[in-house]
Amino acid sequence: MIHNYFVYILTNANRSVLYIGVTNDIQTRLYEHYIDSQTTKRHFTGKYNVYYLIYWERYHNINDAIDREKELKGWRRSKKEELINVFNPSWILLNNEV
């Protein structure tokens, strides 16, 4: 059985905040981020209305996905922006494309 794990980057409407996460169900996770921003605002993404998908990578091994998430979280914002710009130069919101 092939598993899918996603490392993803979200932003807010102003594109001023970046959030990196990992999940095995990206559609459900995006919905959870959105609901938190509209209701309780209990988590970082909810407090800062960060639920717009602008970047993602797919992995079949969870350990590879977690390692990549940690790597990206250690990068400076400028390097994260470079990565996003190669994948999604216009920073188009990809929520409906996954």
Side-chain angles (χ1 to χ4, degrees), residues 9-24:
I9 301 177
L10 304 179
T11 193
N12 60 350
N14 297 328
R15 290 162 173 78
S16 60
V17 177
L18 296 178
Y19 172 84
I20 298 171
V22 65
T23 185
N24 66 339

Side-chain angles (χ1 to χ4, degrees), residues 21-37:
V22 65
T23 185
N24 66 339
D25 186 343
I26 196 163
Q27 292 173 331
T28 298
R29 193 68 183 118
L30 291 172
Y31 178 74
E32 292 169 347
H33 288 305
Y34 173 76
I35 290 300
D36 187 38
S37 74

Side-chain angles (χ1 to χ4, degrees), residues 76-90:
R76 292 178 178 229
R77 179 172 173 118
S78 60
K79 191 169 180 181
K80 294 173 191 174
E81 289 177 351
E82 289 175 21
L83 179 69
I84 295 163
N85 288 335
V86 169
F87 181 82
N88 183 0
S90 299

